[in-house]
Each structure stands twice: as C-alpha cells, then as structure tokens.
Amino acid sequence: MTAGAVFVADPAAAQMHDMHGMAMPATPAAKKPAAKTPARPKSRIVRKTIRAPSAAAAATKRASSPEQPATQESHAAMPAMAPGMTMPSAAACPPEHAAMGHCTLSPAPGQGPTTPVGTDQPAGNAPPPAPPTTLAAARFYDPATMAAANRAMRDEHGGMRFSQILFNLAEVQVRNGRDGYRWDGEGWFGGDIHRLVVKSEGEGDFGRSIESAEVQALYAKAIDPYWNLQAGVRQDLWSGAKRTYAVVGIEGLAPYWFDVEGSVFLSNRGDVLARAEAWYDQRITQRLVLQPRVELNLAAQDVPASRIGAGLSSTELGLRLRYEVAREFAPYVGLSYTHANTATARYSRARRERSGDADTGGLAVAVGIRGWF
C-alpha cells in the first residue's frame, strides 16, 4: 500500500464514522503478514501503514467505488431510532438490540398487561383465598368411600388414641422413727383434646395401716397446647373418714418447663380442700436428672375426721436425683421434708400417740423408682 492511499483512507474513514451522527465501531480484523517490499528507510508513514487496521482499507475501497453514494443514501433513508423505541413486531427488534436498549420488544398478541396476582400484588389486608374443597379422588370414588378415607386420614394425623401410666413417685422413706412408703402416679387414655385420667397417691408406715390414700377419676380437656382442664370425682380409701369429693383442677406445663398441677375439692360433707404441686426436671447429663418438687395442701376449715387443720395444712419439699437407665425406668435417691401446721400436727399427734408413735413429719431419705409405660 502506498503512502498516498494511506492519506486518502484516513479522511474517508473519518467520514464513515461521522456519517449521520452514527458511531460505527471499528472492528479490528486479524492481522495479515506484511508483504515483502524492497528495503527502504523506515519512516513515520510506513509505521502508520503497518499499524492501520484492515477496516480502513475496506473503507477506502468503498469510498472510491461507484456504489458508495447509493449506500449513503440507503443509510440516510433509514429513520432515526430513539432509545426505548417500541418496534411494531419482534422481528423488527432483534433480541440483541433490545438488550442494548435500542428498542423494546412488543408483547405477543393476547399477552398484554394483566392484573397482578399472588405475591406480585402489593401488601395489604385482604383475606386469603378460600382453600379448595374438591378432591381429585372424588371424581373416581363415591361419597361414602371418600368420607371413610377422610376419617381414617384425620385419625392417623392427630386423631389417634394414646395411653400412659406414670409413677412419678414410688419410694421408701427412711425417717427418724418408723420407716414408711409413698406413691404418686397417674394413668390416662385418649387423644390430644379429650382424655380420661386416673390419679392415685398416698403414704403409710410399714407394719401399720395406710396413713392416707385416694384415687381420682377425671375428664381432661385441652384448653391450649400446654394446659388441660380437669373435672371429676375423688374417693378417699384410707382407714379414716372415707369422703367423696367433686374435683375441678388444671394441669399443664408452665413457662420454663415447670410441671404444675392445681385442684380444688368439695366433699359430700361440705368440706373445701385444695392442693397445688409443681416440679422441674433439671438435666445434668443425658441420663442424670435432678428433680426439685413442692406440694402444698390447704383447707378452708378444720376436718378432724380426716386429721386436717384449717389454712396451709401441710407442706412437702423434695429433692430427688434419678438416673435414667432408660427413659421409662429411672431409680432415684433424694430427700423429703414434710411439715404440718399446728392443727394438723395436733390431730396427727393424737392419733400417733394412741398408736405409740409421736412422729408427725420432718426430714426423710427417699429411695425409689420412677417409671412409665
């Protein structure tokens, strides 16, 4: 290529790049090896020729050819495209042009703007849509078969019947005087909402009659996920006055995982009693559990036949450490302290003096087993 051609090519390339205000990007082509020419002194023009891209040469040829005016006229005849212009169809707006913002694809027929649905809607207080009430299987099975299947499904997902028998206390108490025993347990049968509950507790001395014993038959109804309301009857079984009581109580799990029970008793003689119990299982390891426990018994009046004094008739504080060989079987050792108020102690003392034992409570060492099945 001569130096004259180079000087002609530069204005032509500049004219093409500035034509109608359209910036035509220069696309560099693959470099071709330079043709061998006779040795000549290196000059600035030669160096420029070597560095010039082949696009400039192509532009020079187009400028010198007779077809160049027609090409310019065709470019001039094209309408100017403003950025964001909506083209009449997808064919007139290629995807690569739409990606650069030169034009916007027109929606296909029947796919115009629609009302937002689902999560595309703005936040608000509108009620949720009603759940579907039709089942696909109902198209193939008769209503009686579908009703039986729905009943079975509900029973298998929360409507089953369960049962459990738990002895929270079953122990021997070594006291300063005569050794004794004590039990406290319950069993229940039912579902998550309705249950039949049977409770029993009592204590006595070895070699003597039972000090106290009772059994309760209760109906329990869940009033929330953690609490049950209970109502039923209680029957005393010990050797003293065998009273029958109406029972209303509550049982559940208090915050911080405290098991709580509370009951009010009304006897067939008009006696009003109450009882409150609470305990907490503090896990020391996966198998070693420490259980503090408290039980309070109250009476609205003196009941001499049952050896109960008015007010806070008796208090029991306990601390038991158990080792769970299995979750269902755990031997334990602990301490139990029992205190009776003045009237209750007086009634118990009179009975025990008649039997030759004046012990009315105090500290005891407890050894027992906690189990359930």
Side-chain angles (χ1 to χ4, degrees):
M1 181 181 293
T2 63
V6 173
F7 286 111
V8 172
D10 285 347
Q15 180 182 4
M16 289 298 295
H17 280 272
D18 194 35
M19 182 175 61
H20 299 291
M22 296 177 61
M24 302 290 289
T27 304
K31 294 183 179 180
K32 296 181 180 179
K36 293 183 179 180
T37 57
R40 65 178 64 182
K42 295 182 179 181
S43 64
R44 182 178 180 183
I45 297 176
V46 174
R47 289 194 299 270
K48 186 174 181 182
T49 303
I50 295 173
R51 292 195 303 268
S54 59
T60 304
K61 291 182 180 181
R62 288 195 300 270
S64 60
S65 64
E67 295 179 0
Q68 180 63 23
T71 304
Q72 293 181 1
E73 291 177 1
S74 63
H75 278 278
M78 292 177 62
M81 290 189 301
M85 175 180 177
T86 302
M87 303 301 289
S89 64
C93 181
E96 57 272 17
H97 286 193
M100 292 186 293
H102 293 168
C103 59
T104 302
L105 289 171
S106 300
Q111 297 184 359
T114 58
T115 304
V117 296
T119 56
D120 294 334
Q121 300 182 84
N125 299 323
T133 57
T134 58
L135 300 175
R139 294 179 297 174
F140 307 100
Y141 297 95
D142 60 271
T145 303
M146 289 299 300
N150 290 336
R151 245 184 344 263
M153 183 180 65
R154 285 194 296 270
D155 290 342
E156 293 172 357
H157 293 77
M160 295 85 74
R161 300 293 182 266
F162 307 94
S163 63
Q164 184 187 47
I165 296 176
L166 166 67
F167 279 94
N168 197 28
L169 299 179
E171 63 191 28
V172 173
Q173 294 187 345
V174 181
R175 309 188 188 101
N176 183 17
R178 185 176 297 275
D179 298 339
Y181 53 87
R182 184 182 178 189
W183 76 89
D184 186 342
E186 69 175 62
W188 57 265
F189 173 81
D192 294 335
I193 306 298
H194 308 282
R195 293 181 180 179
L196 173 64
V197 182
V198 178
K199 297 182 179 181
S200 178
E201 67 174 270
E203 60 182 339
D205 297 335
F206 289 111
R208 298 185 181 274
S209 60
I210 297 176
E211 180 73 17
S212 64
E214 67 181 54
V215 63
Q216 302 179 34
L218 308 170
Y219 162 73
K221 183 180 186 303
I223 56 177
D224 76 356
Y226 299 99
W227 295 94
N228 295 329
L229 186 64
Q230 300 177 339
V233 295
R234 162 189 163 183
Q235 178 64 49
D236 288 346
L237 302 176
W238 59 299
S239 58
K242 294 180 176 58
R243 300 285 174 84
T244 302
Y245 300 82
V247 183
V248 176
I250 191 170
E251 179 183 64
L253 193 64
Y256 302 99
W257 304 98
F258 284 89
D259 287 279
V260 177
E261 296 182 16
S263 302
V264 177
F265 310 97
L266 176 63
S267 75
N268 55 342
R269 298 292 184 90
D271 305 322
V272 179
L273 309 178
R275 179 183 299 146
E277 302 176 60
W279 64 90
Y280 178 77
D281 286 345
Q282 175 61 58
R283 290 198 172 273
I284 300 174
T285 67
Q286 287 295 322
R287 296 184 179 272
L288 201 60
V289 182
L290 183 67
Q291 185 189 80
R293 177 187 177 90
V294 60
E295 178 178 330
L296 306 176
N297 288 281
L298 304 96
Q301 65 285 309
D302 289 338
V303 187
S306 300
R307 301 191 298 274
I308 297 175
L312 182 59
S313 58
S314 64
T315 304
E316 192 269 337
L317 303 176
L319 186 66
R320 295 167 176 85
L321 180 67
R322 70 175 183 264
Y323 181 80
E324 294 183 341
V325 179
R327 298 300 185 197
E328 301 88 351
F329 180 81
Y332 66 84
V333 296
L335 298 174
S336 176
Y337 175 78
T338 304
H339 174 74
N341 69 359
T342 304
T344 303
R346 184 172 64 249
Y347 296 139
S348 297
R349 188 178 298 112
R351 173 186 175 274
R352 292 177 180 272
E353 285 176 351
R354 290 193 299 268
S355 62
D357 185 5
D359 180 46
T360 59
L363 188 64
V365 177
V367 180
I369 295 174
R370 181 183 188 271
W372 58 269
F373 56 90

CSV table of all heavy atoms in Angstrom, one decimal, residues 240-276:
chain,number,residue,atom,x,y,z
A,240,GLY,N,-59.4,-43.9,107.8
A,240,GLY,CA,-60.2,-42.8,108.5
A,240,GLY,C,-61.5,-42.6,107.8
A,240,GLY,O,-62.1,-43.5,107.2
A,241,ALA,N,-61.9,-41.3,107.8
A,241,ALA,CA,-63.1,-40.9,107.1
A,241,ALA,C,-63.0,-41.1,105.6
A,241,ALA,O,-62.1,-40.5,105.0
A,241,ALA,CB,-63.5,-39.5,107.5
A,242,LYS,N,-63.9,-41.9,105.0
A,242,LYS,CA,-63.9,-42.1,103.6
A,242,LYS,C,-64.8,-41.2,102.9
A,242,LYS,O,-66.0,-41.4,102.7
A,242,LYS,CB,-64.3,-43.6,103.3
A,242,LYS,CG,-63.3,-44.6,103.8
A,242,LYS,CD,-63.7,-46.0,103.5
A,242,LYS,CE,-62.7,-47.0,104.0
A,242,LYS,NZ,-62.3,-47.0,105.4
A,243,ARG,N,-64.3,-40.0,102.6
A,243,ARG,CA,-65.1,-38.9,102.0
A,243,ARG,C,-65.1,-39.0,100.5
A,243,ARG,O,-64.1,-39.5,99.9
A,243,ARG,CB,-64.6,-37.6,102.4
A,243,ARG,CG,-64.7,-37.3,104.0
A,243,ARG,CD,-66.1,-37.1,104.4
A,243,ARG,NE,-66.2,-37.0,105.9
A,243,ARG,CZ,-65.9,-35.9,106.6
A,243,ARG,NH1,-65.5,-34.8,106.0
A,243,ARG,NH2,-66.1,-36.0,107.9
A,244,THR,N,-66.1,-38.5,99.8
A,244,THR,CA,-66.1,-38.4,98.4
A,244,THR,C,-66.2,-36.9,98.0
A,244,THR,O,-66.9,-36.1,98.6
A,244,THR,CB,-67.4,-39.1,97.8
A,244,THR,OG1,-67.4,-40.5,98.2
A,244,THR,CG2,-67.4,-39.0,96.3
A,245,TYR,N,-65.4,-36.6,97.0
A,245,TYR,CA,-65.2,-35.1,96.7
A,245,TYR,C,-65.5,-35.0,95.2
A,245,TYR,O,-65.2,-35.8,94.3
A,245,TYR,CB,-63.8,-34.7,96.9
A,245,TYR,CG,-63.3,-34.8,98.3
A,245,TYR,CD1,-62.8,-36.0,98.9
A,245,TYR,CD2,-63.3,-33.7,99.2
A,245,TYR,CE1,-62.4,-36.0,100.2
A,245,TYR,CE2,-62.9,-33.7,100.5
A,245,TYR,CZ,-62.4,-34.9,101.0
A,245,TYR,OH,-61.9,-35.0,102.3
A,246,ALA,N,-66.0,-33.8,94.9
A,246,ALA,CA,-66.1,-33.3,93.5
A,246,ALA,C,-64.8,-32.5,93.2
A,246,ALA,O,-64.3,-31.8,94.1
A,246,ALA,CB,-67.3,-32.4,93.2
A,247,VAL,N,-64.2,-32.7,92.1
A,247,VAL,CA,-62.8,-32.2,91.8
A,247,VAL,C,-62.9,-31.3,90.5
A,247,VAL,O,-63.5,-31.7,89.5
A,247,VAL,CB,-61.8,-33.3,91.6
A,247,VAL,CG1,-60.4,-32.7,91.4
A,247,VAL,CG2,-61.8,-34.3,92.7
A,248,VAL,N,-62.3,-30.2,90.6
A,248,VAL,CA,-62.0,-29.3,89.5
A,248,VAL,C,-60.6,-28.9,89.5
A,248,VAL,O,-60.1,-28.4,90.6
A,248,VAL,CB,-62.9,-28.1,89.5
A,248,VAL,CG1,-62.6,-27.1,88.3
A,248,VAL,CG2,-64.4,-28.5,89.4
A,249,GLY,N,-59.8,-29.1,88.5
A,249,GLY,CA,-58.4,-28.7,88.5
A,249,GLY,C,-57.8,-28.4,87.1
A,249,GLY,O,-58.5,-28.4,86.1
A,250,ILE,N,-56.6,-28.0,87.2
A,250,ILE,CA,-55.9,-27.7,85.9
A,250,ILE,C,-54.5,-28.3,86.0
A,250,ILE,O,-53.9,-28.4,87.1
A,250,ILE,CB,-55.8,-26.1,85.8
A,250,ILE,CG1,-55.2,-25.8,84.4
A,250,ILE,CG2,-54.9,-25.5,86.8
A,250,ILE,CD1,-55.4,-24.3,84.0
A,251,GLU,N,-54.0,-28.7,84.9
A,251,GLU,CA,-52.7,-29.4,84.8
A,251,GLU,C,-52.0,-29.0,83.5
A,251,GLU,O,-52.6,-28.9,82.5
A,251,GLU,CB,-52.9,-30.9,84.9
A,251,GLU,CG,-51.6,-31.7,84.8
A,251,GLU,CD,-51.8,-33.2,84.8
A,251,GLU,OE1,-52.5,-33.6,83.8
A,251,GLU,OE2,-51.5,-33.9,85.7
A,252,GLY,N,-50.7,-28.7,83.6
A,252,GLY,CA,-50.0,-28.3,82.4
A,252,GLY,C,-48.5,-28.0,82.6
A,252,GLY,O,-48.0,-28.3,83.6
A,253,LEU,N,-48.0,-27.4,81.6
A,253,LEU,CA,-46.6,-27.1,81.5
A,253,LEU,C,-46.4,-25.5,81.6
A,253,LEU,O,-46.8,-24.9,80.6
A,253,LEU,CB,-45.9,-27.6,80.3
A,253,LEU,CG,-44.4,-27.6,80.2
A,253,LEU,CD1,-43.8,-28.5,81.3
A,253,LEU,CD2,-43.9,-28.1,78.8
A,254,ALA,N,-45.9,-25.0,82.7
A,254,ALA,CA,-45.7,-23.6,82.8
A,254,ALA,C,-44.5,-23.1,82.1
A,254,ALA,O,-43.7,-23.9,81.7
A,254,ALA,CB,-45.6,-23.2,84.3
A,255,PRO,N,-44.3,-21.8,81.9
A,255,PRO,CA,-43.1,-21.3,81.2
A,255,PRO,C,-41.8,-21.8,82.0
A,255,PRO,O,-41.9,-22.0,83.2
A,255,PRO,CB,-43.2,-19.8,81.3
A,255,PRO,CG,-44.7,-19.6,81.3
A,255,PRO,CD,-45.3,-20.7,82.1
A,256,TYR,N,-40.8,-22.0,81.2
A,256,TYR,CA,-39.5,-22.5,81.7
A,256,TYR,C,-39.6,-24.0,82.1
A,256,TYR,O,-38.9,-24.5,82.9
A,256,TYR,CB,-39.0,-21.7,82.9
A,256,TYR,CG,-38.7,-20.3,82.5
A,256,TYR,CD1,-39.7,-19.3,82.8
A,256,TYR,CD2,-37.6,-19.9,81.7
A,256,TYR,CE1,-39.5,-18.0,82.4
A,256,TYR,CE2,-37.4,-18.6,81.3
A,256,TYR,CZ,-38.4,-17.6,81.7
A,256,TYR,OH,-38.2,-16.3,81.3
A,257,TRP,N,-40.7,-24.7,81.6
A,257,TRP,CA,-40.8,-26.2,81.7
A,257,TRP,C,-41.0,-26.7,83.1
A,257,TRP,O,-40.5,-27.7,83.5
A,257,TRP,CB,-39.5,-26.9,81.1
A,257,TRP,CG,-39.3,-26.5,79.7
A,257,TRP,CD1,-38.4,-25.5,79.3
A,257,TRP,CD2,-39.9,-27.0,78.5
A,257,TRP,NE1,-38.4,-25.4,77.9
A,257,TRP,CE2,-39.4,-26.3,77.4
A,257,TRP,CE3,-40.9,-28.0,78.3
A,257,TRP,CZ2,-39.8,-26.6,76.1
A,257,TRP,CZ3,-41.2,-28.3,77.0
A,257,TRP,CH2,-40.7,-27.6,75.9
A,258,PHE,N,-41.9,-25.9,83.8
A,258,PHE,CA,-42.3,-26.4,85.1
A,258,PHE,C,-43.6,-27.2,85.0
A,258,PHE,O,-44.6,-26.6,84.4
A,258,PHE,CB,-42.5,-25.2,86.1
A,258,PHE,CG,-41.3,-24.6,86.6
A,258,PHE,CD1,-40.6,-23.6,85.9
A,258,PHE,CD2,-40.7,-25.0,87.8
A,258,PHE,CE1,-39.4,-23.0,86.4
A,258,PHE,CE2,-39.6,-24.5,88.3
A,258,PHE,CZ,-38.9,-23.5,87.6
A,259,ASP,N,-43.7,-28.4,85.5
A,259,ASP,CA,-44.9,-29.1,85.5
A,259,ASP,C,-45.7,-28.7,86.7
A,259,ASP,O,-45.2,-28.7,87.9
A,259,ASP,CB,-44.6,-30.6,85.7
A,259,ASP,CG,-44.1,-31.2,84.4
A,259,ASP,OD1,-44.9,-31.5,83.5
A,259,ASP,OD2,-42.9,-31.4,84.2
A,260,VAL,N,-47.0,-28.3,86.5
A,260,VAL,CA,-47.8,-27.7,87.5
A,260,VAL,C,-49.2,-28.4,87.6
A,260,VAL,O,-49.7,-28.7,86.5
A,260,VAL,CB,-48.0,-26.2,87.2
A,260,VAL,CG1,-48.9,-25.6,88.3
A,260,VAL,CG2,-46.7,-25.4,87.2
A,261,GLU,N,-49.7,-28.6,88.8
A,261,GLU,CA,-51.0,-29.2,89.0
A,261,GLU,C,-51.7,-28.4,90.1
A,261,GLU,O,-51.0,-28.1,91.1
A,261,GLU,CB,-51.0,-30.7,89.3
A,261,GLU,CG,-50.4,-31.6,88.3
A,261,GLU,CD,-50.5,-33.0,88.7
A,261,GLU,OE1,-51.2,-33.3,89.7
A,261,GLU,OE2,-49.8,-33.9,88.1
A,262,GLY,N,-53.0,-28.2,89.9
A,262,GLY,CA,-53.7,-27.5,90.9
A,262,GLY,C,-55.2,-28.0,90.9
A,262,GLY,O,-55.8,-28.2,89.9
A,263,SER,N,-55.7,-28.3,92.1
A,263,SER,CA,-57.1,-28.9,92.3
A,263,SER,C,-57.8,-28.3,93.5
A,263,SER,O,-57.2,-28.0,94.5
A,263,SER,CB,-57.0,-30.4,92.4
A,263,SER,OG,-56.3,-31.0,91.3
A,264,VAL,N,-59.1,-28.2,93.3
A,264,VAL,CA,-60.0,-27.8,94.4
A,264,VAL,C,-61.0,-29.0,94.6
A,264,VAL,O,-61.5,-29.5,93.7
A,264,VAL,CB,-60.7,-26.5,94.1
A,264,VAL,CG1,-61.7,-26.2,95.2
A,264,VAL,CG2,-59.8,-25.4,93.8
A,265,PHE,N,-61.2,-29.3,95.9
A,265,PHE,CA,-62.1,-30.5,96.3
A,265,PHE,C,-63.2,-30.0,97.1
A,265,PHE,O,-63.0,-29.2,98.1
A,265,PHE,CB,-61.3,-31.5,97.0
A,265,PHE,CG,-60.0,-31.9,96.4
A,265,PHE,CD1,-58.8,-31.3,96.8
A,265,PHE,CD2,-59.9,-32.9,95.4
A,265,PHE,CE1,-57.6,-31.7,96.2
A,265,PHE,CE2,-58.8,-33.2,94.8
A,265,PHE,CZ,-57.6,-32.7,95.2
A,266,LEU,N,-64.4,-30.5,96.8
A,266,LEU,CA,-65.6,-30.2,97.6
A,266,LEU,C,-66.2,-31.6,98.1
A,266,LEU,O,-66.6,-32.3,97.2
A,266,LEU,CB,-66.6,-29.4,96.8
A,266,LEU,CG,-68.0,-29.1,97.5
A,266,LEU,CD1,-67.8,-28.3,98.8
A,266,LEU,CD2,-68.9,-28.4,96.6
A,267,SER,N,-66.2,-31.8,99.4
A,267,SER,CA,-66.6,-33.2,99.8
A,267,SER,C,-68.1,-33.2,100.0
A,267,SER,O,-68.8,-32.2,99.9
A,267,SER,CB,-66.0,-33.5,101.2
A,267,SER,OG,-66.6,-32.7,102.2
A,268,ASN,N,-68.6,-34.5,100.2
A,268,ASN,CA,-70.1,-34.6,100.4
A,268,ASN,C,-70.5,-34.1,101.7
A,268,ASN,O,-71.7,-34.1,102.0
A,268,ASN,CB,-70.4,-36.1,100.2
A,268,ASN,CG,-69.6,-37.0,101.2
A,268,ASN,OD1,-68.6,-36.6,101.7
A,268,ASN,ND2,-70.1,-38.2,101.4
A,269,ARG,N,-69.6,-33.7,102.6
A,269,ARG,CA,-70.0,-33.1,103.9
A,269,ARG,C,-69.8,-31.6,103.8
A,269,ARG,O,-69.9,-30.9,104.9
A,269,ARG,CB,-69.1,-33.7,105.0
A,269,ARG,CG,-69.3,-35.2,105.2
A,269,ARG,CD,-70.7,-35.5,105.7
A,269,ARG,NE,-70.9,-36.9,106.0
A,269,ARG,CZ,-70.6,-37.4,107.2
A,269,ARG,NH1,-70.1,-36.7,108.2
A,269,ARG,NH2,-70.8,-38.7,107.4
A,270,GLY,N,-69.5,-31.0,102.7
A,270,GLY,CA,-69.3,-29.6,102.5
A,270,GLY,C,-67.9,-29.1,102.8
A,270,GLY,O,-67.6,-27.9,102.9
A,271,ASP,N,-66.9,-30.0,103.0
A,271,ASP,CA,-65.5,-29.6,103.3
A,271,ASP,C,-64.9,-29.1,102.0
A,271,ASP,O,-65.0,-29.8,100.9
A,271,ASP,CB,-64.7,-30.8,103.9
A,271,ASP,CG,-65.4,-31.3,105.1
A,271,ASP,OD1,-65.9,-30.5,105.9
A,271,ASP,OD2,-65.4,-32.6,105.3
A,272,VAL,N,-64.1,-28.0,102.1
A,272,VAL,CA,-63.4,-27.5,100.9
A,272,VAL,C,-61.9,-27.6,101.1
A,272,VAL,O,-61.4,-27.0,102.1
A,272,VAL,CB,-63.8,-26.0,100.6
A,272,VAL,CG1,-63.1,-25.5,99.4
A,272,VAL,CG2,-65.3,-25.9,100.4
A,273,LEU,N,-61.3,-28.3,100.2
A,273,LEU,CA,-59.8,-28.5,100.3
A,273,LEU,C,-59.2,-28.1,98.9
A,273,LEU,O,-59.9,-27.9,97.9
A,273,LEU,CB,-59.5,-30.0,100.6
A,273,LEU,CG,-60.1,-30.6,101.7
A,273,LEU,CD1,-59.7,-32.1,101.8
A,273,LEU,CD2,-59.8,-29.9,103.0
A,274,ALA,N,-57.9,-27.9,99.0
A,274,ALA,CA,-57.2,-27.5,97.7
A,274,ALA,C,-55.8,-28.1,97.8
A,274,ALA,O,-55.2,-28.3,98.9
A,274,ALA,CB,-57.1,-26.0,97.6
A,275,ARG,N,-55.2,-28.3,96.6
A,275,ARG,CA,-53.8,-28.8,96.6
A,275,ARG,C,-53.1,-28.2,95.4
A,275,ARG,O,-53.7,-28.1,94.3
A,275,ARG,CB,-53.9,-30.3,96.4
A,275,ARG,CG,-52.5,-31.0,96.3
A,275,ARG,CD,-52.6,-32.5,96.1
A,275,ARG,NE,-53.2,-33.1,97.3
A,275,ARG,CZ,-54.1,-34.1,97.2
A,275,ARG,NH1,-54.3,-34.7,96.0
A,275,ARG,NH2,-54.6,-34.6,98.3
A,276,ALA,N,-51.8,-27.9,95.5
A,276,ALA,CA,-51.0,-27.4,94.4
A,276,ALA,C,-49.7,-28.1,94.4
A,276,ALA,O,-49.1,-28.3,95.5
A,276,ALA,CB,-50.8,-25.9,94.6
